[in-house]
Amino acid sequence: MADTTGTPGTGSTTSSDQHPRKSSWKYIGPGIVVAATGVGAGDLVATLIAGSNFGYTLLWAAVLGCLVKISLAEAAGRWHLATGRTLFDGWASLGKWTTYFFVIYVVIWGFVYGAAAMSSSGLPLQALFPDVFPAEWSIKPWAILCGVVGLVFVWLNKYSVFEKVMTVLVGVMFVVTVYLAIRVTPHLGDAFAGLLPVLPDEKDSILNTLGLIGGVGGTITLAAYGYWVNAKGWTNTSWMKVMRLDNRVAYITTGVFVVAMLFVGAELLHSSHTAIAEGDKGLVDLSKILEAQYGTATAKLFLIGFFATSFTSLIGVWHGVSLMFADFVERYRLSRVVTGEEVARGDREKGWPFRAFLLWMTFPPIVLLFQGQPFRLVIIYGVLGAAFMPFLALTLVWLLNSSRTPASWRNGWLSNSMLTVSGLLFVVLCVRQIWDTAWSDFF
């Protein structure tokens, strides 16, 4: 890591900036983390259902979705490296409204997501070890255990250990999803035809296609990518080429997961007209289908991959969003510009704001596991979640075209086009979420 950086936001450079690191595979890390965190069990189910309903028709949409996420994560990482400032510090410079939105979002989102992440991680464990806890307890003990283990792991370890564990779990996910894609014997001719941008002949096909493009791997973890870049020790523009390679690896990896699961949906479900449940339970349904088709060993291997997918999302969010929350607290506690160098030192991961948010995402959500999710809270959670991605895309356009970013690192036409298109895409999806919400029941 370089010893010095340019003055944040001024565009000044130092000797370290004048000697860019060569983009090398040995540096790869934050990209693996963001890929593992961004692709959760719900994303795999959405892709499976797309394959089940439409075969290979929407393969192009899944690939396009990965390209959209590459542009968003690259922009977040470029802001951190080009300015030396954190993304929240950039948001704060746009006005107090960004702070209000962020705080309301992470507090409500973290509460509801905590319960969802623990449940998702507990489901495959319950399926793998059905006799450990009484059946009437359902998955609750496993869910709580996953949440507490995730809390302890993130609490006790800094980024370097966290990254290594995430890499191992990604390896498990990769092996399982690729094995399943090969096992179902995909029709490659049909798959290549699916790369042509064709819409299914179904009602609401445009909105469903946009949902697939925007949904897979698209969460607050895209904003956390810049923080993981800093935590890795990359703090100035000498790391720009490395970051871009790392980001491409992230979404190529995501693309492999998505395409593999779409293959499984197209071949195993679409061809046999088999339906699975929406949400995480759809993956348990799939494990039963795999057991019937290919035997117990394949089903259990899939459940192990299911657990790796869910648990990486859990610990990834526990770490990344807590890091962002800690940045927010430090920014307003000290009332000054917050730099990436401070994130790189690792002090944030041991501070009370980081650990307080960890506790917030772990213990209060346990109540939801027993009482169910309050209807009004779930509605607010859904609307805020839908609003975050357009917020991220459009604020990145604003920040990276302004004097806040050194001139040499501002957006070019390609980045502006991708960010603008993704922002509009997410606005459409946000409007659809608001439109489809049962507001009459809310009031």
Side-chain angles (χ1 to χ4, degrees), residues 87-95 98 102 223 324 388 391-392 395 399:
L87 184 55
F88 183 81
D89 196 68
W91 285 337
S93 72
L94 301 178
T98 59
F102 174 79
M324 294 181 70
F388 182 80
F391 168 79
L392 174 62
T395 53
L399 290 169

Side-chain angles (χ1 to χ4, degrees), residues 32-40 113 162 166 219 221 228 312-313 315-317:
I32 296 297
V33 172
V34 77
T37 307
V39 179
Y113 179 84
F162 165 72
M166 292 287 275
T219 67
T221 54
W228 286 322
T312 51
S313 292
I315 60 175
V317 168

